[in-house]
Amino acid sequence: PIIHTNPFSHKSKATSSDSPKSEVSIVTGWLFDISLQEDTDHNYYTSKTFGPSDPMSKELWVNIDQMEKDNVKIHGILSNTHRQAARVNLSFDFPFYGHLLREITVATGGFIYTGDVVHRMLTATQYIAPLMANFDPSLSRNSTVIYFDNGTALVVQWDHVHLQDSYNQGSFTFQATLHSDGRIVFAYKEVPVQIAKISSVNHPVKVGLSDAFVVVHKIQQIPNVRRKTIYEYHRVELLKTKITSSTAVEMMPLPTCLQFTSCTSCIASQINFNCSWCHRLNRCSSGFDRHRQDWVDNSCPDEVCMWMCVLLQAMQLCVYKDRLVYSDSIISELNCISAQNYKYCKMCVSAPAAKSTAEDSTHPLRMGLILGMVLLLLVMVAIVLVTVYIYHHPSSAAGLFFIERRPSRWPAMKFRRGSGHPAYAEVEPMGQEKEGFIESEQC
């Protein structure tokens, strides 16, 4: 179960996305939240699709039959069950959105799950999906899930698998290859129907990539229960109309902040992200990756401003009226040391003023809130005193006034038991991802 609040998610330009949806549930002491929002950036990967007539389509297809038999494994559980997933260890470090993975989860539904937190909604985010759909390998003896690891690449192949609710449409054969340099290849041998026509009522249909970060919150109202919120910060959705038999898609990773290992290289980086260096973590980041919670818990966003100010004062380098100048002191109209680092300098200059303004604006608000609470308390005390007085002096003018207007003389407003409308019960909307995948033993 998950909610997906994603103020930072990114979606590939070449794709379309599903409408936002959410679900909440409590599982074994954890409250999972997932929120899903969309983006139009393509900052982490570039993709290229090869048609049936392109020679690259055949070159990108890995013929597992020609590989060493000792390294090719047919997964018995996945090949004979529906909605199952199994852990697979990698013999190499696989860079995924800049993070090095040594373990992935292969699912019968035509995708690979890359997250650390295994939950029943594996289809929501953190996936590598050559063709995510409602495949059921148990329908046919010829259906198998195969994987092959040669030390520099992992190939996962869904071979002759059928859709559970559309068996007569034919079998699908496709594969995903994960390379040690971060390259991801989707190759398709048999796609008997158009992907856009595959039903998503009982299972989502997706082609692409997704990643997210997990944030843990304590819930004071519910003891021993913590909330895990999964934020999808980027998604690549490939055009389904271009996926047919004998096609292939190659996705090349773009540089991320995580690859920089020093403060100098991090701050001076010129990539698609605003990279910041956190000395407490000794890490370069844009602030939105799988280490998001560590970044926030260690106050790294605040540290960015502090270190940039120190750097500016040490270099005595400023941009004044759009000109790069050297100065004996920091100029009050400082903009930035370079166009790339504009936001940091602006933070350093404007943060104190903004903080002072915020404190000034909240001061009257607090005073008004306190006065309102005092007035409310006085009104409640007055009501209690009047009630006590009337109880002990029923024949007084005030007592007679309220007795004549007691509730028993109000117009009757009665409902028959069971005659009212039933309370509304929330139901799962159409297209909502349903039961997830059960994790099986590690291979």
Side-chain angles (χ1 to χ4, degrees):
I2 5 183
I3 290 182
H4 224 82
T5 308
N6 186 0
F8 333 99
S9 77
H10 301 284
K11 187 186 77 174
S12 165
K13 293 178 181 177
T15 74
S16 60
S17 89
D18 302 329
S19 57
K21 43 206 170 200
S22 64
E23 181 180 345
V24 181
S25 66
I26 297 178
V27 182
T28 61
W30 291 94
L31 178 61
F32 286 94
D33 272 350
I34 295 184
S35 283
L36 182 53
Q37 292 184 357
E38 304 159 5
D39 238 329
T40 56
D41 292 337
H42 201 158
N43 291 333
Y44 291 88
Y45 289 88
T46 58
S47 60
K48 186 174 183 180
T49 304
F50 302 95
S53 60
D54 197 314
M56 280 297 296
S57 297
K58 294 182 179 179
E59 293 183 17
L60 293 175
W61 175 264
V62 179
N63 192 344
I64 292 184
D65 296 334
Q66 298 177 357
M67 301 300 165
E68 297 180 9
K69 299 299 181 182
D70 295 338
N71 294 330
V72 177
K73 297 182 181 179
I74 299 177
H75 199 286
I77 297 177
L78 299 183
S79 300
N80 294 280
T81 54
H82 177 230
R83 296 205 176 191
Q84 282 272 346
R87 293 290 184 101
V88 174
N89 291 321
L90 304 177
S91 63
F92 57 91
D93 290 327
F94 169 63
F96 184 64
Y97 282 90
H99 302 276
L100 299 180
L101 306 182
R102 290 302 294 260
E103 185 181 70
I104 49 95
T105 302
V106 178
T108 57
F111 69 97
I112 297 170
Y113 176 69
T114 61
D116 298 326
V117 181
V118 178
H119 48 78
R120 70 184 187 92
M121 300 288 286
L122 299 187
T123 59
T125 183
Q126 293 186 296
Y127 55 75
I128 299 172
L131 179 50
M132 181 191 294
N134 193 22
F135 294 112
D136 187 355
S138 67
L139 296 176
S140 173
R141 292 183 178 180
N142 296 326
S143 300
T144 55
V145 178
I146 310 168
Y147 61 94
F148 167 77
D149 188 339
N150 66 358
T152 59
L154 172 75
V155 181
V156 181
Q157 179 170 315
W158 291 263
D159 193 69
H160 293 94
V161 293
H162 293 261
L163 293 169
Q164 188 189 54
D165 43 8
S166 303
Y167 180 85
N168 295 330
Q169 289 184 350
S171 64
F172 294 72
T173 299
F174 55 93
Q175 60 184 211
T177 304
L178 315 182
H179 294 270
S180 58
D181 60 358
R183 213 165 28 105
I184 300 174
V185 176
F186 295 161
Y188 306 87
K189 187 176 182 180
E190 296 179 5
V191 181
V193 297
Q194 295 181 14
I195 296 178
K197 293 184 178 180
I198 298 177
S199 174
S200 60
V201 174
N202 296 317
H203 193 288
V205 179
K206 301 177 182 179
V207 179
L209 311 175
S210 170
D211 198 28
F213 56 81
V214 180
V215 177
V216 180
H217 309 277
K218 292 183 179 179
I219 303 179
Q220 297 179 353
Q221 296 83 354
I222 310 177
N224 301 324
V225 174
R226 288 176 289 174
R227 169 178 295 166
K228 280 190 174 181
T229 304
I230 303 178
Y231 293 88
E232 183 184 57
Y233 64 88
H234 189 269
R235 184 197 295 187
V236 176
E237 291 184 346
L238 303 176
L239 291 177
K240 298 175 183 177
T241 55
K242 293 186 177 181
I243 306 303
T244 60
S245 299
S246 302
T247 60
V249 180
E250 185 178 34
M251 284 167 282
M252 302 293 294
L254 296 174
T256 66
C257 298
L258 296 173
Q259 73 185 50
F260 301 106
T261 57
S262 67
C263 178
T264 304
S265 60
C266 178
I267 298 299
S269 62
Q270 296 183 0
I271 59 177
N272 290 332
F273 302 96
N274 293 318
C275 299
S276 308
W277 181 261
C278 183
H279 286 262
R280 295 173 185 172
L281 296 176
N282 198 34
R283 181 186 301 152
C284 183
S285 174
S286 63
F288 300 110
D289 53 45
R290 293 194 178 192
H291 304 302
R292 170 67 180 178
Q293 183 158 17
D294 290 341
W295 190 262
V296 175
D297 291 346
N298 286 274
S299 302
C300 291
D302 298 334
E303 184 181 302
V304 169
C305 181
M306 178 188 70
W307 280 100
M308 284 303 301
C309 288
V310 172
L311 179 63
L312 287 171
Q313 292 175 354
M315 295 175 62
Q316 296 184 345
L317 181 64
C318 309
V319 172
Y320 181 64
K321 295 184 178 180
D322 298 327
R323 289 192 309 163
L324 191 64
V325 298
Y326 290 89
S327 173
D328 295 333
S329 60
I330 297 300
I331 300 175
S332 60
E333 297 187 32
L334 170 69
N335 289 325
C336 56
I337 54 174
S338 68
Q340 178 187 0
N341 294 319
Y342 169 76
K343 64 167 189 165
Y344 302 120
C345 306
K346 187 175 180 181
M347 286 170 54
C348 294
V349 174
S350 61
K355 182 177 181 181
S356 177
T357 303
E359 291 178 351
D360 293 341
S361 61
T362 55
H363 181 70
L365 180 62
R366 291 179 181 176
M367 291 299 297
L369 182 61
I370 294 173
L371 290 176
M373 294 179 65
V374 171
L375 290 176
L376 180 61
L377 182 62
L378 292 176
V379 171
M380 293 177 64
V381 171
I383 292 174
V384 172
L385 293 176
V386 170
T387 302
V388 172
Y389 175 79
I390 292 174
Y391 180 79
H392 291 285
H393 302 83
S395 59
S396 63
L400 295 175
F401 177 82
F402 283 104
I403 289 174
E404 291 177 356
R405 291 161 178 79
R406 63 186 181 273
S408 60
R409 294 197 176 187
W410 293 355
M413 297 179 62
K414 299 180 180 179
F415 296 91
R416 295 180 182 177
R417 178 173 297 180
S419 64
H421 295 286
Y424 282 93
E426 184 178 2
V427 297
E428 190 171 356
M430 292 297 293
Q432 174 69 34
E433 293 150 351
K434 301 195 175 180
E435 293 180 7
F437 289 79
I438 303 171
E439 183 192 6
S440 62
E441 293 183 0
Q442 182 176 351
C443 299

